[in-house]
Amino acid sequence: VDVCGYPLSIFFIVVNEFCERFSYYGMRAVLVLYFRYFLKWDDDLATSIYHTFVALCYLTPILGAIVADSWLGKFKTIVYLSIVYTVGQVVMAVSAIHDITDTDRDGTPDNMTFHVAMSMVGLFLIALGTGGIKPCVAAFGGDQFEDHQEKQRSTFFSIFYLSINAGSLLSTVITPILR
């Protein structure tokens, strides 16, 4: 199905990428604050874990490419690792709920080990998901076009990368305000 000369799937790919980048950079924008003020980590530990997480996000695309090229294909890799990514975001959100371990109801968590463990699992799943889909999404988008749609393919990549940067920029500005 074509819409304005573009495959319909392209619109879903662009919107999904915008949302994924908004989610990732929005979470990242307040991550050190979460480490410092909720988990009560010092600056050194918060910075170390933050940069380890970012490095893992840039390392996992290698794994995503291997999985897509030799086992699942681009589409299934995107779907499965998007689910992993979403579960990671949910785990991170749940890890920030005070009341889960606040048995005496004094407003502070009683078991920080639980919150730290949940946070680390969530960050690992997010890194696996966000990095794992990176090598697949742009290539999958390009695969949606026929050979005669070279102009549309070129426009898609421009809009695709615009959506990545727009999602990143907007979430980096908006999320700290909403915090």
Side-chain angles (χ1 to χ4, degrees):
V1 177
D2 280 0
V3 177
C4 300
Y6 292 88
L8 180 60
S9 57
I10 292 306
F11 298 100
F12 293 106
I13 292 169
V14 168
V15 169
N16 185 66
E17 191 65 16
F18 172 86
C19 292
E20 188 273 330
R21 292 285 84 189
F22 189 96
S23 173
Y24 172 75
Y25 278 98
M27 182 273 303
R28 227 178 84 171
V30 295
L31 187 57
V32 171
L33 295 174
Y34 170 74
F35 290 160
R36 291 279 295 122
Y37 299 110
F38 184 81
L39 297 181
K40 307 288 190 219
W41 289 351
D42 63 26
D43 285 339
D44 292 337
L45 181 58
T47 302
S48 296
I49 298 297
Y50 173 82
H51 287 291
T52 301
F53 166 68
V54 171
L56 192 58
C57 289
Y58 285 104
L59 183 64
T60 53
I62 297 167
L63 180 63
I66 292 169
V67 168
D69 290 344
S70 62
W71 186 31
L72 293 176
K74 288 185 279 277
F75 179 75
K76 286 182 181 176
T77 301
I78 292 167
V79 170
Y80 295 156
L81 290 179
S82 291
I83 292 168
V84 168
Y85 178 87
T86 303
V87 169
Q89 288 284 23
V90 169
V91 169
M92 277 300 293
V94 169
S95 76
I97 299 172
H98 284 240
D99 292 344
I100 290 176
T101 62
D102 186 14
T103 54
D104 58 4
R105 302 288 181 218
D106 66 352
T108 59
D110 297 325
N111 184 357
M112 288 308 287
T113 304
F114 171 81
H115 293 280
V116 170
M118 290 283 289
S119 297
M120 294 303 102
V121 168
L123 289 175
F124 178 76
L125 293 174
I126 291 167
L128 186 61
T130 195
I133 67 172
K134 280 295 138 231
C136 304
V137 178
F140 182 71
D143 290 348
Q144 304 306 301
F145 293 93
E146 303 287 330
D147 290 338
H148 68 278
Q149 294 180 305
E150 188 62 39
K151 184 178 185 304
Q152 288 91 340
R153 184 182 294 119
S154 177
T155 302
F156 159 73
F157 282 112
S158 295
I159 293 170
F160 178 77
Y161 289 109
L162 173 67
S163 75
I164 289 172
N165 291 315
S168 303
L169 174 67
L170 289 174
S171 69
T172 302
V173 172
I174 293 171
T175 303
I177 293 168
L178 295 177
R179 174 185 78 83

